[in-house]
């Protein structure tokens, strides 16, 4: 048995029931988001609430705070998607101007540099700059999902590819594998939402 496979099995055996439920709901969230089902926000809400508790218990306080943000965004996402529904149609997919994304990207880079500098100087954080960049990008991308903006998928593609390597470098093979699954699923989201946008405009 290879070392990698052995490590994956050991990590899987170490997972608690709560972790398994949280991961399953996180995957369900992505599948339902691809299908534009409002139920994705219920899965996100429960999954992130579990992660808030798990990260607090593990003393990973920033991760806990981030998942607290995700929980709030799950409520916000459900509210926005529900408000945009009609008896016959879900909230429509939209695209935002390139200028909006350019401003967002510049802001994310600046915040990440500042955040990374502080983490690098005052903590023992691993990969402070990359970790900051993926965190701030994830905050923005989550807001785009809530507003049903097509471009969210491209942000997530970059974020999740980076996360695969970050978790591998930290010997979190099972978590890295989860993000590989996310990366594989994202193109389906791009295709599905693009098709919906074209149908709306036809």
């Amino acid at each position: 048995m290879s070392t990698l496979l052995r490590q994956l099995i050991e990590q899987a055996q170490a997972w608690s029931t709560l972790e398994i439920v949280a991961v399953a709901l996180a995957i369900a969230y992505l599948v339902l988001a691809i299908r534009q089902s409002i139920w994705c926000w219920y899965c996100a809400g429960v999954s992130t609430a579990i992660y808030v508790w798990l990260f607090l218990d593990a003393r990973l306080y920033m991760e806990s705070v981030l998942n607290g943000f995700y929980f709030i965004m799950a409520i916000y996402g459900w509210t926005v998607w529900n408000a945009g529904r009609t008896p016959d149609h879900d909230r429509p997919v939209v695209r935002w101007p390139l200028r909006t994304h350019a401003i967002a990207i510049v802001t994310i880079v600046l915040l990440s540099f500042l955040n990374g500098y502080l983490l690098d100087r005052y903590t023992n954080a691993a990969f402070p700059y990359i970790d900051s960049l993926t965190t701030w990008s994830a905050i923005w991308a989550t807001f785009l999902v809530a507003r049903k903006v097509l471009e969210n998928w491209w942000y997530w593609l970059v974020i999740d590819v980076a996360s695969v390597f970050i978790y591998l470098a930290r010997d979190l093979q099972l978590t890295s594998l989860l993000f590989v699954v996310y990366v594989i699923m994202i193109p389906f989201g791009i295709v599905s939402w693009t098709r919906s946008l074209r149908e709306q405009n036809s």
Side-chain angles (χ1 to χ4, degrees):
M1 184 182 297
S2 69
T3 302
L4 177 60
L5 181 59
R6 189 181 305 112
Q7 288 174 333
L8 287 172
I9 292 173
E10 288 174 357
Q11 285 190 25
Q13 290 172 338
W15 279 24
S16 67
T17 302
L18 276 179
E19 273 184 294
I20 294 170
V21 171
V23 168
L25 288 172
I27 294 173
Y29 156 75
L30 188 56
V31 171
L32 292 170
I34 290 171
R35 297 174 61 85
Q36 300 179 54
S37 168
I38 197 169
W39 287 97
C40 71
W41 297 112
Y42 289 96
C43 293
V46 177
S47 177
T48 54
I50 293 172
Y51 272 122
V52 167
W53 168 258
L54 291 175
F55 285 132
L56 276 176
D57 188 55
R59 294 185 295 177
L60 296 170
Y61 302 123
M62 288 308 296
E63 293 291 339
S64 184
V65 169
L66 181 60
N67 274 272
F69 168 80
Y70 287 153
F71 178 79
I72 293 169
M73 289 304 295
I75 297 171
Y76 175 73
W78 181 87
T79 302
V80 172
W81 281 31
N82 189 55
R85 297 172 80 187
T86 67
D88 300 319
H89 300 285
D90 292 328
R91 179 183 177 85
V93 176
V94 298
R95 297 193 72 170
W96 280 2
L98 185 59
R99 172 182 165 81
T100 302
H101 294 292
I103 293 171
I105 289 169
V106 169
T107 303
I108 288 168
V109 169
L110 291 175
L111 286 171
S112 300
F113 181 80
L114 175 61
N115 201 165
Y117 171 78
L118 293 173
L119 287 173
D120 189 38
R121 184 173 178 83
Y122 297 109
T123 75
N124 62 347
F127 312 115
Y129 291 97
I130 298 175
D131 206 8
S132 297
L133 185 61
T134 55
T135 298
W136 285 108
S137 298
I139 288 171
W140 171 245
T142 303
F143 176 71
L144 294 183
V145 177
R147 302 302 301 182
K148 217 165 184 185
V149 179
L150 174 63
E151 292 85 1
N152 87 83
W153 295 107
W154 295 104
Y155 287 96
W156 283 120
L157 184 61
V158 175
I159 293 164
D160 291 348
V161 167
S163 296
V164 168
F165 292 102
I166 290 172
Y167 290 126
L168 269 179
R170 293 177 180 176
D171 292 325
L172 297 170
Q173 287 86 0
L174 203 59
T175 303
S176 180
L177 183 61
L178 175 63
F179 276 82
V180 169
V181 172
Y182 286 165
V183 170
I184 293 170
M185 293 173 69
I186 283 171
F188 293 98
I190 295 171
V191 171
S192 175
W193 284 36
T194 301
R195 184 185 300 119
S196 292
L197 183 64
R198 287 174 179 166
E199 290 172 355
Q200 292 162 194
N201 296 333
S202 62

